[in-house]
Amino acid sequence: MTTNPLVDFLASYGPQPSSNNLYDEFVVEAAERTGCAPLNIEQPLATELVDLLRSDTPTSVILTGTAGDGKTFTARQVAEDLSETGRAWSNTEKVFELRDAPQTDRRLRFIKDLSELNEADKTAIYPEIRDALVGESRDIFVICVNDGHLLKFFRDRGDTGLHDKVADMLRRDERRDHDGDFLLINMSRQSHQHLLDQIIDGVVNHPNWSDCKGCPALADTQAPCPIRCNLELLRDTGPASMRARLKDMIRMAAADGRHLSIRQLILLTVNILLGDKKPGAALLTCQRAKNRAKANEYADTNPYANAFGVNLTDKERGQYGAFAVLSEFQVGFETNNYFDHGLLWEINSLPACEYYGARIFSSARHRYRCDPAAHTAEFQRQMVDQRRRLFFSIDPDGDDVRGDPRRNPWNLSVFKHGASYVAMVNDLLACKSTPPQSVRRGVMRGLNRMMTGEMTSTDDQLWITAPAGVFMGREIPLLVQRAGRPGQGTCVISFSIPADNGRPPLLRVTMQSPASPSADLSLRPTLVECLLRIAEGALPASFSSESRREVERFQLRATAAARDALVGTTPIPKEVEMDGDGVLQEREIAVMTRGDAWA
């Protein structure tokens, strides 16, 4: 059997104690040691920075973000692209000067990690950094540092000007200094879903896969190598593929505030490819892959389970953010009559899988059907894996799903409206003025039910009421404020998305007044799921307390905006009620007449 050193090289990126190669400073050394080329992951940001530094007006750049977001990796790519000598720096240099920089009259220096410099070195280099960042020097810096250490660096040296400027830019998510002297790029403020393709391509298209040539497992169709089986599944780029669903999940996790770093995405990809549930080691080697194939133990190398870290212990799994985040989708644990019936009785309309379908499931299904009492636990475990396979194998936007919504793979997760959320984001990113009509109306109906406490069917206008028990003052007698299209209410609703950086869309209510005050509601996936479920009939009291608080804060902001729009007027307070058809309407409070003042 041929042994491919690439398998061991990739394993060093995976979930194991020796995975130091996840840190950029070890990548080049590990590649040289195994004779494998480093992973080639194209980072679009690196190209942008190279163009900036080659321009006539280069500026310093600060790359910040959490550990594993690719700060040092990106800086190294930039240095090597700018350098004419290939390898730009050695692993021992903490501050590197690029002597063949494109601007010969400027010094271009890279700081791999500002936090790794000792205090004496920080104090020594601080004046030069300060002068570059305030435009008093022609030196150019590319600085890698997390945001906490960056602020501490300025605070410890009493530089309140740069400290406050950087803190404000981080808070506002602004990239360019108002004076034009530097860029501040927070690499944690992106979902990295676009980089997932680059990461997977870097793995599956690695040139060292050619070293498998001559291995008997390549020609064995009866007992194929599980590593090569998983490799082929990762190559698929279609809408009904692991890649497509993983990108949707990564986008949604980022919008819900659960950011996955580049480091975690590489670890996830490697675990999908090499994960092994058999006791002994968490990842496959060439020999272990041969043993699994010979014993037909493909259930232990199932990539659909590896995506959730099933090959690890609970303690090990909790150490890695990728598995913690993806597990929150509860894929496989949501029972579904349509899919469960199809799996139990072998309905042909469900997608098949040559490696991880009937091959690993048929025997467990047969035993369960013969003696359910004795084999229920085993069958339930196998069903979880099969539901996960279906989740990654069905296009939620396919014609068959449109014709029969029961086939939507998101029904196999806790985000049953995940496809609606993705459609909303895609439409807004395509510069459409509103989300799909079904999503927009569902969000409006869900909000109306939450804010009024009525199971209303109104979905063309938003009825904003003050949160129950909140006293806004005698000068704000407003209890009801309608929002809709211009001319149809006292305010206008719009939907938007800031940028394709993983942030959630915004629902904005703008008052129709000269001042035009507004209130925003961040449409996070969890909140949208709650709203759409309520719109379908769930009781308003059955959603999470977190979502309830979000809506109440929105009500407060909206009523405050209404107060600002009503300056100088004395409106009569009204209450909202639902007619017999479930439509909301307003009426004056019975104890008051139009001549009465609000006292």
Side-chain angles (χ1 to χ4, degrees):
M1 175 182 176
T2 301
T3 298
N4 191 338
L6 177 61
V7 174
D8 292 334
F9 173 65
L10 291 176
S12 65
Y13 287 85
Q16 56 181 358
S18 61
S19 57
N20 281 334
N21 285 353
L22 286 174
Y23 298 87
D24 183 80
E25 54 267 33
F26 295 99
V27 169
V28 177
E29 287 185 354
E32 291 179 349
R33 186 174 60 253
T34 59
C36 298
L39 287 181
N40 181 21
I41 302 171
E42 295 184 12
Q43 166 61 283
L45 177 59
T47 303
E48 176 188 344
L49 297 183
V50 168
D51 292 341
L52 169 70
L53 296 173
R54 280 180 174 158
S55 70
D56 294 332
T57 56
T59 62
S60 292
V61 178
I62 301 174
L63 299 176
T64 187
T66 58
D69 273 321
K71 300 183 295 294
T72 308
F73 171 81
T74 301
R76 177 166 60 85
Q77 272 199 332
V78 170
E80 293 183 351
D81 287 347
L82 289 174
S83 173
E84 297 177 357
T85 59
R87 176 100 175 256
W89 60 27
S90 72
N91 290 327
T92 60
E93 295 177 283
K94 295 181 179 179
V95 180
F96 171 78
E97 181 177 344
L98 190 60
R99 300 186 185 281
D100 52 349
Q103 297 289 335
T104 55
D105 60 341
R106 294 174 181 259
R107 281 201 303 171
L108 177 56
R109 283 183 286 175
F110 292 79
I111 300 179
K112 294 181 178 181
D113 190 341
L114 185 62
S115 63
E116 288 190 358
L117 300 181
N118 60 43
E119 288 303 311
D121 289 340
K122 289 179 184 177
T123 300
I125 202 170
Y126 161 70
E128 298 173 77
I129 292 176
R130 179 199 171 278
D131 289 347
L133 297 183
V134 298
E136 296 179 0
S137 168
R138 293 182 59 79
D139 285 0
I140 302 294
F141 280 92
V142 177
I143 303 171
C144 303
V145 59
N146 69 45
D147 48 11
H149 278 103
L150 178 63
L151 294 175
K152 184 177 185 297
F153 175 73
F154 296 123
R155 187 170 57 249
D156 288 350
R157 283 149 190 87
D159 193 335
T160 56
L162 276 174
H163 175 278
D164 294 348
K165 175 183 282 191
V166 169
D168 189 59
M169 291 175 69
L170 287 169
R171 184 170 56 253
R172 297 175 181 272
D173 198 18
E174 294 178 349
R175 297 182 74 192
R176 182 168 290 279
D177 164 36
H178 293 305
D179 298 320
D181 296 320
F182 65 92
L183 286 184
L184 175 64
I185 300 175
N186 189 341
M187 300 184 71
S188 294
R189 297 288 178 87
Q190 48 191 327
S191 71
H192 290 323
Q193 84 238 23
H194 302 303
L195 276 179
L196 183 66
D197 275 327
Q198 303 291 343
I199 291 168
I200 295 179
D201 285 341
V203 171
V204 302
N205 298 327
H206 196 285
N208 285 91
W209 285 117
S210 61
D211 292 347
C212 290
K213 185 178 180 180
C215 180
L218 283 180
D220 193 337
T221 58
Q222 299 301 315
C225 171
I227 297 176
R228 303 295 300 204
C229 294
N230 296 351
L231 192 67
E232 291 307 310
L233 289 172
L234 282 173
R235 288 187 194 279
D236 189 354
T237 59
S241 65
M242 287 198 76
R243 284 203 202 195
R245 290 297 77 67
L246 284 172
K247 287 161 69 175
D248 290 342
M249 295 168 81
I250 291 166
R251 167 188 278 173
M252 292 173 65
D256 251 338
R258 300 187 304 280
H259 167 79
L260 285 179
S261 68
I262 294 176
R263 183 181 299 171
Q264 288 296 321
L265 295 182
I266 296 175
L267 181 145
L268 172 65
T269 302
V270 169
N271 200 66
I272 291 173
L273 178 68
L274 301 179
D276 182 13
K277 193 168 61 174
K278 201 82 169 177
L283 299 175
L284 290 169
T285 62
C286 287
Q287 183 59 51
R288 287 168 68 89
K290 176 185 178 181
N291 295 342
R292 300 294 166 270
K294 183 178 180 180
N296 196 35
E297 294 173 332
Y298 292 91
D300 293 322
T301 67
N302 187 345
Y304 304 112
N306 291 342
F308 301 95
V310 173
N311 56 309
L312 306 172
T313 65
D314 290 341
K315 181 179 179 180
E316 291 170 336
R317 193 160 46 245
Q319 297 174 1
Y320 303 105
F323 306 125
V325 167
L326 295 189
S327 68
E328 293 179 11
F329 286 80
Q330 289 293 292
V331 176
F333 296 107
E334 293 289 317
T335 59
N336 180 278
N337 289 339
Y338 176 81
F339 290 111
D340 289 358
H341 178 80
L343 289 169
L344 179 60
W345 301 107
E346 304 175 70
I347 303 300
N348 293 330
S349 60
L350 295 181
C353 179
E354 180 180 359
Y355 315 120
Y356 300 106
R359 181 192 286 261
I360 66 173
F361 183 58
S362 58
S363 58
R365 175 172 54 204
H366 176 73
R367 288 191 293 271
Y368 173 77
R369 285 160 61 169
C370 291
D371 188 356
H375 300 284
T376 295
E378 175 199 16
F379 182 70
Q380 287 177 339
R381 289 193 298 270
Q382 294 281 352
M383 282 289 283
V384 169
D385 286 345
Q386 291 304 307
R387 293 183 193 126
R388 287 170 169 163
R389 176 179 67 82
L390 294 178
F391 175 77
F392 287 114
S393 305
I394 298 174
D395 177 10
D397 198 38
D399 293 338
D400 50 351
V401 174
R402 292 181 180 179
D404 186 358
R406 295 178 306 165
R407 291 178 56 89
N408 195 310
W410 287 99
N411 290 329
L412 294 168
S413 80
V414 73
F415 287 94
K416 299 188 183 301
H417 296 282
S420 296
Y421 183 84
V422 171
M424 173 177 66
V425 171
N426 287 339
D427 275 12
L428 293 174
L429 288 174
C431 298
K432 297 183 179 180
S433 58
T434 61
Q437 182 176 354
S438 60
V439 181
R440 184 179 70 251
R441 288 186 174 274
V443 168
M444 299 275 275
R445 186 186 306 122
L447 276 173
N448 280 330
R449 291 182 174 186
M450 288 176 69
M451 289 193 291
T452 66
E454 303 277 5
M455 293 298 286
T456 176
S457 61
T458 299
D459 57 12
D460 59 342
Q461 287 184 323
L462 196 62
W463 290 71
I464 302 170
T465 63
V470 176
F471 177 66
M472 300 292 291
R474 291 191 304 173
E475 71 279 9
I476 315 169
L478 179 74
L479 295 182
V480 175
Q481 184 81 358
R482 287 188 297 167
R485 295 184 296 275
Q488 293 191 338
T490 53
C491 40
V492 180
I493 284 182
S494 62
F495 292 82
S496 64
I497 192 165
D500 193 7
N501 60 0
R503 294 292 189 90
L506 293 176
L507 182 152
R508 172 165 293 176
V509 172
T510 306
M511 305 301 158
Q512 297 193 70
S513 71
S516 299
S518 63
D520 292 343
L521 177 64
S522 183
L523 295 176
R524 300 186 306 106
T526 299
L527 177 60
V528 171
E529 182 70 24
C530 287
L531 293 175
L532 295 182
R533 288 197 183 198
I534 288 170
E536 291 180 344
L539 293 175
S542 64
F543 50 83
S544 71
S545 58
E546 180 184 10
S547 295
R548 179 189 293 277
R549 287 194 298 270
E550 287 183 79
V551 172
E552 288 177 347
R553 286 193 294 267
F554 171 65
Q555 288 178 275
L556 287 170
R557 290 192 295 267
T559 51
R563 173 200 60 193
D564 294 341
L566 293 171
V567 172
T569 65
T570 309
I572 297 296
K574 300 176 182 180
E575 63 179 339
V576 63
E577 65 179 5
M578 190 172 64
D579 65 18
D581 296 324
V583 178
L584 292 177
Q585 57 187 4
E586 63 182 32
R587 69 179 181 85
E588 295 180 1
I589 297 177
V591 298
M592 303 186 70
T593 65
R594 288 193 173 274
D596 293 332
W598 182 264

